[in-house]
Amino acid sequence: MALSSSSSAAAALLNGSGSISSSFAVCYYGPHHKGVEGRIESTNDHEDYEKLARGMESASPLEIMDKAFQKFGNDIAIAFSGAEDVVLIEYAKLTGRPFRVFSLDTGRLNPETHQFFDTVEKHYGIRIEYTFPNAVEVQALVRTKGLFSFYEDGHQECCRIRKVRPLKRALKGLRAWITGQRKDQSPGTRAEIPVVQIDTSFEGIDGGKGSLVKWNPLANVKGQDIWNFLRAMNIPINSLHSQGYISIGCEPCTRPVLPGQHEREGRWWWEDAKAKECGLHNGNIKQEELSQHININGNGVAQHTNGSAPASDLFNSQKLVSFRRTGIENLARLQNREDPWLIVLYAPWCHFCQAMEGSYIELAEQLEGMGVKVGKFRADGDHKEFAKQKLQLVSFPTILFFPKHSAKPVKYPSEKRDVDSLMAFVNALR
């Protein structure tokens, strides 16, 4: 990926003067890729991942995911549990890179979780492969202790057979994996997880200590922010969530939680609340501003293309940058931006654009000082065909988020244009 060498070069482009879990799925590739072409960046065996984690502590999940794929290519995969960690697949899709996903089917999942896997496959155009526990080991456990021995002597033995050992086999074919762990999930075991770490519990393809890296892109994201993003992006969810389940595992060991209860209280509720791990994560147990170079208010006021009288321009605020055609073209070309941008493509005569004017200006005011630039581009008239071909315009308004480290903008998919919904979309990507 080509990167701009300096903020002045980026500014020139914008100014127009430059040129241009209970169950986890293996081996998924994005629908437009036949395969992942090897490792993209060779990995330094002695890399200081503690230093890397500190440097990315404030990075967005999208940026962390992109970094992980960049470093490990085909040697990394996402662990998908069939719960709200479906957000990882959405982020992976948004990076534009090919990626893999894996999942463990323990044999004790809810029917709703299996149905959810099918929904996810169809939504993302993928085919999930599963890893299963060893049938001989499961048979021996059940014949010796019965189907529900974990209620009497703890869940560790059952989880070791149905989850930990299958996971160990899957990870032996990788050099890194991506999990949906968050600090707020389990106060006793996950409160200090970093965004990236050496996995001390499992080994990777090269074998030995330090041969596997674990990425936790959601480590610093709050559960509520995850759910805001799921709703904002219209991402499918497990139907068990609507029945009161938050953390979802195997059917006998998962139950709904009451209002105000912590999400992990629905898992292994008969055991110590500070040790609720199944063994998969036992290692836890401890620029110069470019807007100065963009012509402000460059679009002026244009006549509605159907010949009606000119409409007053919208989104007039000092908190917003108004893009000309050259400016928006060059913003789209940039591979590396000093700041992420939120841009609305609008037409002054559009009633839906008029209706969201207040919320968009309020959003711009809230984002000031948060490192996200806010702008507008009038995309009707002579610019409409260009916007349809290059900026994903289908109807007005269209809202795009341009990440710092990706050329491809992310389109806001929802018709909810209130401040909270838009802020959830931005917070999930910035």
Side-chain angles (χ1 to χ4, degrees):
M1 180 169 64
L3 303 179
S4 299
S5 60
S6 67
S7 59
S8 59
L13 282 171
L14 287 180
N15 195 33
S17 60
S19 61
I20 277 240
S21 8
S22 71
S23 140
F24 296 128
V26 164
C27 220
Y28 148 72
Y29 301 97
H32 301 298
H33 299 276
K34 294 183 178 179
V36 182
E37 295 182 359
R39 298 172 66 190
I40 298 174
E41 177 181 309
S42 61
T43 305
N44 185 345
D45 293 337
H46 304 289
E47 179 161 1
D48 187 344
Y49 282 96
E50 289 186 5
K51 181 178 179 181
L52 179 61
R54 289 193 299 270
M56 300 193 74
E57 185 68 16
S58 61
S60 70
L62 182 63
E63 184 177 350
I64 296 168
M65 294 278 284
D66 189 68
K67 183 68 172 179
F69 293 140
Q70 178 189 11
K71 290 186 68 64
F72 289 97
N74 191 40
D75 295 330
I76 188 171
I78 298 168
F80 176 43
S81 72
E84 80 281 2
D85 56 351
V86 64
V87 72
L88 293 171
I89 299 178
E90 180 71 17
Y91 278 124
K93 184 194 76 170
L94 293 177
T95 68
R97 298 179 184 272
F99 59 91
R100 300 172 59 185
V101 178
F102 73 91
S103 190
L104 312 174
D105 190 333
T106 66
R108 301 298 293 266
L109 302 180
N110 295 79
E112 291 88 346
T113 298
H114 283 130
Q115 292 167 2
F116 179 51
F117 283 134
D118 182 66
T119 299
V120 169
E121 288 181 332
K122 292 175 180 175
H123 182 79
Y124 290 100
I126 66 175
R127 178 62 61 194
I128 296 176
E129 300 177 13
Y130 303 92
T131 296
F132 297 89
N134 182 286
V136 174
E137 293 180 348
V138 172
Q139 178 176 281
L141 173 65
V142 173
R143 286 184 174 181
T144 302
K145 294 188 172 184
L147 288 167
F148 300 97
S149 60
F150 37 81
Y151 289 140
E152 299 176 3
D153 57 13
H155 70 276
Q156 295 298 334
E157 182 178 19
C158 184
C159 285
R160 183 165 57 250
I161 292 172
R162 293 181 181 274
K163 299 175 72 172
V164 178
R165 289 174 182 167
L167 176 66
K168 183 177 181 180
R169 294 197 303 269
L171 294 178
K172 281 295 292 182
L174 301 171
R175 287 188 170 86
W177 62 309
I178 298 172
T179 84
Q181 291 189 103
R182 305 191 318 271
K183 290 178 179 177
D184 68 346
Q185 278 178 326
S186 187
T189 62
R190 301 187 181 184
E192 298 181 0
I193 56 171
V195 298
V196 61
Q197 62 190 136
I198 295 294
D199 194 321
T200 58
S201 299
F202 298 98
E203 297 180 2
I205 194 170
D206 295 325
K209 183 179 179 180
S211 60
L212 186 70
V213 178
K214 180 158 66 174
W215 293 78
N216 309 301
L218 307 180
N220 297 314
V221 182
K222 300 296 184 184
Q224 186 58 51
D225 292 329
I226 293 291
W227 281 99
N228 288 339
F229 184 59
L230 290 171
R231 285 188 287 267
M233 299 296 286
N234 294 323
I235 300 171
I237 61 172
N238 193 321
S239 62
L240 289 173
H241 290 305
S242 64
Q243 302 175 39
Y245 292 79
I246 301 180
S247 178
I248 299 174
C250 291
E251 186 277 332
C253 301
T254 306
R255 69 179 183 181
V257 296
L258 297 173
Q261 282 187 304
H262 191 275
E263 62 186 85
R264 297 292 279 189
E265 291 189 51
R267 303 287 295 278
W268 308 295
W269 55 91
W270 63 93
E271 297 185 8
D272 181 6
K274 294 184 178 180
K276 294 194 174 185
E277 293 290 354
C278 58
L280 306 186
H281 304 294
N282 275 348
N284 295 335
I285 300 177
K286 246 198 154 26
Q287 153 192 75
E288 184 180 63
E289 296 189 0
L290 300 181
S291 59
Q292 297 177 4
H293 304 279
I294 301 173
N295 190 300
I296 307 300
N297 297 324
N299 285 324
V301 178
Q303 184 172 330
H304 185 185
T305 54
N306 66 7
S308 61
S312 299
D313 200 18
L314 300 176
F315 311 109
N316 295 315
S317 170
Q318 293 183 348
K319 309 299 183 183
L320 276 79
V321 174
S322 181
F323 280 73
R324 283 186 173 179
R325 168 76 169 265
T326 303
I328 197 71
E329 286 179 332
N330 289 323
L331 176 67
R333 291 194 192 107
L334 281 178
Q335 297 284 341
N336 191 32
R337 306 176 182 90
E338 288 296 319
D339 297 289
W341 282 85
L342 186 71
I343 306 293
V344 61
L345 311 181
Y346 72 103
W349 45 264
C350 170
H351 296 303
F352 297 106
C353 297
Q354 296 168 8
M356 70 164 285
E357 181 177 23
S359 60
Y360 193 70
I361 291 176
E362 183 180 343
L363 179 68
E365 292 172 350
Q366 292 187 21
L367 289 174
E368 186 179 26
M370 294 176 63
V372 179
K373 306 298 183 185
V374 182
K376 63 177 185 176
F377 174 64
R378 182 166 179 174
D380 63 343
D382 294 339
H383 303 308
K384 187 173 183 180
E385 194 59 31
F386 156 76
K388 289 170 65 177
Q389 294 182 10
K390 302 296 185 181
L391 298 176
Q392 307 177 51
L393 176 69
V394 175
S395 60
F396 294 112
T398 291
I399 301 170
L400 301 176
F401 184 86
F402 291 80
K404 288 176 63 175
H405 303 293
S406 175
K408 185 179 180 180
V410 180
K411 183 177 179 179
Y412 180 65
S414 175
E415 293 184 1
K416 298 178 181 178
R417 302 184 185 103
D418 58 281
V419 176
D420 290 341
S421 296
L422 292 171
M423 182 64 80
F425 171 69
V426 172
N427 282 338
L429 296 175
R430 71 184 177 91

